[in-house]
Amino acid sequence: MSTDENLTHFLPLYAQVKQHLIQRIVDQVWAPGSALPSEYKLGVELGVSQGTVRKALDEMAAEKLVVRKQGRGTFVSEHTHEQELFHFFRLVDQHDQQYVPTSQVLSLEHSESTEYESKALGLAEGSLITRISRLRLLNGRPAIVETISVPRDLISDFPDRSAMPNSLYRFYQQSHGISVLRAVERIKVVLANDNEADLLGIARDVPLLEVERVAESIDGRLVELRVSRLVTDECRYRVELT
Amino acid sequence: MSTDENLTHFLPLYAQVKQHLIQRIVDQVWAPGSALPSEYKLGVELGVSQGTVRKALDEMAAEKLVVRKQGRGTFVSEHTHEQELFHFFRLVDQHDQQYVPTSQVLSLEHSESTEYESKALGLAEGSLITRISRLRLLNGRPAIVETISVPRDLISDFPDRSAMPNSLYRFYQQSHGISVLRAVERIKVVLANDNEADLLGIARDVPLLEVERVAESIDGRLVELRVSRLVTDECRYRVELT
DNA sequence: GAGTGGTCTAGACCACAAT
DNA sequence: TTGTGGTCTAGACCACTCT
C-alpha cells in the first residue's frame, strides 16, 4: 500500500487501510468474534505506520464493525442477544424500560416475492423468498404480529418452526456470515385486520403501529424486510435523536 | 492543565481539554457560529500539544458541537434551517423525500404546567410554562397538530403569534443561547379528538401517530416538550438504525 | 504568502489482560 | 513478563481558504 496509490485514488492512506480491512471482514478472512492482528503487525504488513492503522480501526470501532479491548486486542463484532436487543429493538414500557420479547412462529413458507417485497428488497418481481410470520409477546402478552421476508439466495435453510431462534440476526451471522449492521425503519398507522385482531386479542379495525424495517448487511446487501404491527396501549417506540 | 490534574481526576488529558472547551461554549465565551482559536493556540494556552487538542476537537465534531472547515478554522455549531430540517424532522413521503413543513400558530398561552408536562420536563408541578399550538402543513395540506411546552424560566419572551418563526430551535439559540443538540422521541397511536379532526379535515376517532419529543440543550437542561399528532396517509416517520 | 485543519510518521510511556 | 490497545508528544508535509 504505497503513497502513489493515495495519489491515484485521492483517498487518505488510513481510509484505504480501512477499506482493505473491511473487505477482509466481508470476505470472512476474519470471522465475527475473532481477533484481528495487532495494530503494529497490520502496519508492517500494509507498509504504513501503527498510527495510520489506529485511525482506520478507530473509525471502524465507531461504526461498530470491530470492538477494541484494551490489553486484549481488536475483535470483529458479533451479534449478541444484548446487542440485538438494545440496538434494534426499540420498544419500551411507560417507564422507558426495554422489553424482552418472546416469539412464537406462526408460519414459514417459501414463495415468490410480491411487488411490495420486491421493491423494498431491490429484487426482481417473483424472486424466491422465505416468509416467516411470528407473534411476539411482551411480558407474556401478545403485542406484535410480524412478517419477515428474506431472499432465498441469501438464506435458504431456515430451521423448522419449532427450532426457529428468537434472535434471527444472530442466526444470519452464525450460519451464513451475514452481519446486519444497519436498518431503515418507516412507521405509520394501520388498522388491524381479522387475523391480527384475533392474534392480538383485540377488535378488528383497532389502530396499530406499523414498523417496516429493511435490514442491510455489512456489504450493502438487503437482507430482510420485516413488517411489525403492534398495539401501543402500553408500549412506546423510542428514538434518540443526537 | 497539568498531568497531575489527570492523575487526580483519572481522566485522559484530551477529555479534560474537551470538557474545558465544552464549558466555554456553554458559557457563551464562544457563541454559536463563531470561530474557536486554532488548535496550536489552544494547545499553548492549555499547556498541551496540538495533537491532544485535535483529539478533543475531533470528538466534539463527531458530536456536532463544533464544525471543522479545512483551511478556515473550527466553529461552534449553530442551528440552520437545513440542519434542523434534516436532523430533527423525520417525516418523509412515499419516495423517502423529506417534507418542508410550514407552520400556522393556533394559540400561545402562559399557564401552569400540567402533571404530564411537569413529569416530562422534570419540573415541579404548577411551574410556569408557555404553551404553543401549531398546525403544520405538508405540501400545503394540514397534516400535523402540535403542542409545544417550554418552561418560562428558560424562554420568557416568545414573539407574537404572527411573528413566530417556523424554526423554533434556531430562535432558542439566537435569542437565548440555548442549543438543542439531543432529543428523545416516544411514539404511539392515538385517536383524533374533535379539535384535531376539525383542524386536519378528518373524522373524529381517525387514528393518528403521536410523536412525543423532549428536547435537551447542550448543558443538559430540558428545553421543550413537543407533542405532534399526524395523519400517516401519505407520510412516514423514518428512522435509521446504525 | 500566511494561516488553518488534515494526514502521516516515530517514539515514549501508561493501563490492562493473559501467561 | 509479554503483548495489547490508550495516551501524549513533536515534527513534517499536504490541501484548502483568504487576502
Side-chain angles (χ1 to χ4, degrees):
Chain A
M1 187 156 313
S2 64
T3 303
D4 306 59
E5 223 175 305
N6 180 5
L7 295 174
T8 308
H9 296 80
F10 295 104
L11 202 60
L13 253 188
Y14 77 87
Q16 295 179 48
V17 170
K18 183 180 165 188
Q19 285 191 345
H20 182 84
L21 297 177
I22 290 177
Q23 192 55 50
R24 286 166 84 155
I25 292 175
V26 168
D27 293 343
Q28 303 256 53
V29 174
W30 303 307
S34 64
L36 272 63
S38 72
E39 294 177 352
Y40 177 77
K41 282 181 190 161
L42 285 171
V44 170
E45 182 192 329
L46 301 173
V48 301
S49 77
Q50 186 228 22
T52 300
V53 174
R54 169 178 293 276
K55 178 141 184 174
L57 288 174
D58 279 348
E59 283 198 357
M60 290 166 70
E63 294 167 16
K64 300 189 203 296
L65 294 173
V66 297
V67 176
R68 317 197 73 184
K69 297 180 184 171
Q70 190 176 44
R72 295 190 54 205
T74 303
F75 303 81
V76 181
S77 295
E78 57 184 339
H79 280 291
T80 61
H81 176 64
E82 271 205 347
Q83 256 187 311
E84 176 158 355
L85 193 60
F86 290 96
H87 200 64
F88 287 105
F89 193 80
R90 316 292 282 236
L91 298 181
V92 298
D93 66 19
Q94 277 151 334
H95 301 85
D96 252 22
Q97 295 298 305
Q98 271 190 307
Y99 287 105
V100 180
T102 56
S103 301
Q104 193 177 312
V105 176
L106 301 171
S107 69
L108 187 159
E109 57 177 356
H110 302 298
S111 169
E112 297 188 347
S113 61
T114 63
E115 183 185 348
Y116 171 60
E117 289 166 331
S118 308
K119 209 167 170 183
L121 291 170
L123 301 172
E125 202 164 336
S127 303
L128 294 175
I129 60 155
T130 302
R131 199 179 291 128
I132 298 169
S133 289
R134 300 200 291 190
L135 178 65
R136 307 199 84 176
L137 316 178
L138 304 181
N139 291 340
R141 301 227 294 258
I144 310 171
V145 177
E146 195 164 82
T147 302
I148 300 169
S149 309
V150 184
R152 287 211 69 189
D153 61 351
L154 287 183
I155 313 277
S156 56
D157 61 344
F158 278 95
D160 280 349
R161 276 179 50 172
S162 54
M164 189 70 70
N166 192 15
S167 169
L168 285 178
Y169 291 173
R170 192 158 190 196
F171 167 70
Y172 300 157
Q173 184 176 71
Q174 295 188 337
S175 309
H176 299 77
I178 295 176
S179 297
V180 171
L181 290 181
R182 191 175 165 280
V184 175
E185 297 193 333
R186 291 184 191 76
I187 301 176
K188 65 171 177 175
V189 176
V190 297
L191 299 179
N193 61 27
D194 285 329
N195 180 40
E196 289 155 356
D198 196 34
L199 290 165
L200 297 173
I202 57 176
R204 184 192 152 92
D205 289 340
V206 162
L208 303 176
L209 194 73
E210 177 184 290
V211 180
E212 174 206 277
R213 176 194 296 174
V214 177
E216 189 177 306
S217 84
I218 185 177
D219 54 351
R221 289 178 295 180
L222 302 180
V223 178
E224 180 200 87
L225 167 67
R226 180 180 298 211
V227 178
S228 307
R229 296 179 165 206
L230 53 118
V231 186
T232 57
D233 285 349
E234 298 193 338
C235 73
R236 302 284 179 272
Y237 180 96
R238 184 178 188 280
V239 187
E240 283 192 41
L241 312 178
T242 52
Chain B
M1 187 155 314
S2 64
T3 302
D4 306 58
E5 225 176 304
N6 179 6
L7 294 173
T8 309
H9 295 81
F10 296 105
L11 201 61
L13 251 189
Y14 76 87
Q16 295 178 50
V17 171
K18 184 179 163 187
Q19 285 191 347
H20 183 83
L21 297 177
I22 290 177
Q23 192 55 51
R24 285 167 82 156
I25 292 175
V26 168
D27 293 344
Q28 304 255 52
V29 175
W30 302 307
S34 63
L36 272 63
S38 72
E39 295 178 350
Y40 177 77
K41 283 182 191 160
L42 284 171
V44 170
E45 182 192 328
L46 301 173
V48 302
S49 78
Q50 186 229 22
T52 299
V53 174
R54 170 177 292 275
K55 178 141 186 173
L57 288 174
D58 279 347
E59 283 198 357
M60 290 166 70
E63 294 168 17
K64 300 188 202 295
L65 293 174
V66 296
V67 176
R68 317 198 71 185
K69 297 180 185 173
Q70 190 177 39
R72 297 189 52 203
T74 303
F75 302 82
V76 181
S77 294
E78 56 183 339
H79 279 292
T80 62
H81 177 65
E82 271 206 346
Q83 255 186 313
E84 174 159 351
L85 193 60
F86 291 95
H87 199 65
F88 286 105
F89 193 80
R90 316 295 280 237
L91 298 182
V92 297
D93 67 19
Q94 277 151 335
H95 302 86
D96 251 23
Q97 295 299 305
Q98 272 190 309
Y99 288 105
V100 180
T102 57
S103 301
Q104 193 176 312
V105 176
L106 301 171
S107 69
L108 187 158
E109 56 176 357
H110 301 299
S111 168
E112 297 189 347
S113 60
T114 64
E115 183 184 350
Y116 171 61
E117 290 167 329
S118 308
K119 209 168 170 183
L121 291 170
L123 301 172
E125 202 164 336
S127 303
L128 294 176
I129 59 155
T130 303
R131 198 179 292 128
I132 298 168
S133 290
R134 298 201 291 188
L135 177 65
R136 306 199 85 178
L137 316 178
L138 304 181
N139 290 340
R141 300 224 297 256
I144 311 170
V145 177
E146 196 164 83
T147 301
I148 300 169
S149 310
V150 183
R152 287 211 71 186
D153 59 353
L154 287 183
I155 314 276
S156 56
D157 58 346
F158 278 95
D160 280 348
R161 275 178 53 171
S162 54
M164 189 72 69
N166 192 16
S167 170
L168 285 177
Y169 292 174
R170 189 153 193 203
F171 167 71
Y172 299 158
Q173 184 177 69
Q174 295 189 336
S175 309
H176 299 76
I178 296 177
S179 297
V180 171
L181 291 180
R182 191 175 166 279
V184 174
E185 298 194 332
R186 291 183 191 75
I187 300 175
K188 66 171 176 175
V189 176
V190 297
L191 300 179
N193 61 28
D194 284 326
N195 181 40
E196 289 155 354
D198 196 33
L199 290 165
L200 296 173
I202 56 176
R204 185 192 151 93
D205 288 342
V206 162
L208 303 175
L209 193 73
E210 178 184 291
V211 180
E212 173 206 279
R213 176 194 295 173
V214 176
E216 191 177 304
S217 84
I218 187 178
D219 55 350
R221 289 178 294 180
L222 302 180
V223 178
E224 179 199 88
L225 167 66
R226 179 180 297 212
V227 178
S228 307
R229 295 179 166 205
L230 53 119
V231 186
T232 58
D233 286 348
E234 299 193 340
C235 72
R236 303 283 178 273
Y237 181 96
R238 185 178 187 278
V239 187
E240 283 191 41
L241 313 178
T242 51

